[in-house]
Amino acid sequence: MRIIGDGFLARNLAAAFDDRFPEVTALASGVSSTATAAFDEYDREARVLYDVLEECRRHGRRLLFFSTASFSMYGFPPGQASETDPVRPPNAYGRHKLALESVVRSSGTEHLILRLSHVVGRHQRPHQLLPTLVRNIVEGEVTVLRGAHRDLLDMRDLLHAVERLLEDGVSGELLNLASGVPQPVESIVTAIEQRLGVTARRIHRPGSPAITHASVERLRRRVPDFRTATADQDYLSALLDAYLPYYTDLPVDLGARLGL
């Protein structure tokens, strides 16, 4: 696999697939923060995509493109958000990703587009959700929007799905790749506090129930064993037990309790 990028997603893809899928180019160098508003960052990602699409077209390669299945794409729909639903992205990040999806789909290049939720794993950048929450909790104060939820996806589940999809030669598809289990941010904070043995001051901001529930039905038709090893109610615990040590130095006794 040819991997373009050197960040969180790119490093995990390289570790898993560097010597596999030689016909695939994975574009993993895009804007990584939904708060980004700088035109030059969006412009850079678009120019890279255009160049990669041309290269893939010339050499008959398949492009693996990553978009978003977050609020930025779907907003807060009343039910589960499917890939076939009409969308009106509520911010610049989502509109940018939707526009790039359109470029990929109309390019004539063999491709697979995956809309990702909030992926969690090794090598995460400090500004991403879980490292930010851990850092704020350790520092003693965390801001929580009432009713907010986030779909956290284990990087291992992402890599498994990508492996199966590429092995099966899936092409021309747009798929949500999410856990399908939106977690209340309050519960995420509490679970982190319990593992660290600390209690942070919570600053609550008003808000209505904010849930983006990306449907994974189409994904499961392609990858029937996606996320079958862990029950929904255990998913957050399993994810934190696996990755929390990478975000902070855990006390020795806590590390022992987590089997580290």
Side-chain angles (χ1 to χ4, degrees):
M1 179 183 288
R2 182 179 179 223
I3 300 165
I4 299 173
D6 59 2
F8 167 52
L9 183 55
R11 293 176 68 180
N12 281 278
L13 288 170
F17 306 127
D18 191 38
D19 59 348
R20 300 180 61 194
F21 307 115
E23 78 288 357
V24 173
T25 295
L27 182 53
S29 66
V31 175
S32 62
S33 172
T34 58
T36 296
F39 171 80
D40 58 342
E41 292 190 43
Y42 291 131
D43 186 57
R44 180 192 63 81
E45 182 180 5
R47 284 186 283 107
V48 170
L49 174 62
Y50 300 152
D51 291 343
V52 170
L53 283 170
E54 176 59 23
E55 179 185 88
C56 288
R57 186 192 63 78
R58 288 200 314 267
H59 298 288
R61 299 179 62 81
R62 183 171 21 153
L63 175 65
L64 180 59
F65 180 74
F66 297 99
S67 184
T68 181
S70 69
F71 160 79
S72 296
M73 178 64 70
Y74 290 121
F76 300 132
Q80 295 190 28
S82 169
E83 302 90 335
T84 58
D85 291 342
V87 292
R88 297 179 63 185
N91 59 28
Y93 179 82
R95 291 189 288 272
H96 168 73
K97 287 296 188 183
L98 183 61
L100 295 190
E101 287 181 9
S102 178
V103 170
V104 172
R105 296 172 76 174
S106 64
S107 67
T109 301
E110 190 177 358
H111 64 270
L112 173 62
I113 301 173
L114 299 178
R115 288 179 175 171
L116 306 183
S117 62
H118 297 271
V119 185
V120 176
R122 298 182 63 180
H123 311 304
Q124 279 204 280
R125 298 291 179 87
H127 71 267
Q128 292 178 307
L129 177 64
L130 209 55
T132 297
L133 287 177
V134 171
R135 184 173 61 253
N136 291 344
I137 289 168
V138 169
E139 292 172 353
E141 184 175 283
V142 60
T143 299
V144 179
L145 182 67
R146 292 188 187 277
H149 289 64
R150 294 294 183 271
D151 182 305
L152 304 183
L153 175 65
D154 191 325
M155 175 60 77
R156 294 170 296 186
D157 291 326
L158 181 153
L159 295 173
H160 172 71
V162 168
E163 180 179 42
R164 286 290 308 275
L165 292 167
L166 295 182
E167 284 179 343
D168 293 345
V170 176
S171 181
E173 287 270 17
L174 168 65
L175 297 170
N176 288 331
L177 182 41
S179 74
V181 190
Q183 306 283 349
V185 174
E186 290 276 10
S187 298
I188 299 172
V189 170
T190 297
I192 293 171
E193 290 177 331
Q194 290 172 344
R195 284 160 175 76
L196 297 182
V198 300
T199 301
R201 175 173 173 261
R202 300 192 192 190
I203 300 175
H204 290 97
R205 291 185 178 175
S208 58
I211 305 176
T212 303
H213 193 165
S215 170
V216 292
E217 290 185 11
R218 292 183 68 186
L219 176 68
R220 284 202 165 115
R221 287 199 290 270
R222 291 289 192 177
V223 187
D225 61 346
F226 175 69
R227 275 225 327 98
T228 55
T230 306
D232 287 355
Q233 64 269 24
D234 300 326
Y235 195 73
L236 177 61
S237 293
L239 187 149
L240 292 178
D241 289 350
Y243 297 118
L244 199 58
Y246 297 107
Y247 307 140
T248 185
D249 294 327
L250 294 180
V252 174
D253 61 336
L254 178 59
R257 291 202 302 276
L258 295 180
L260 306 173

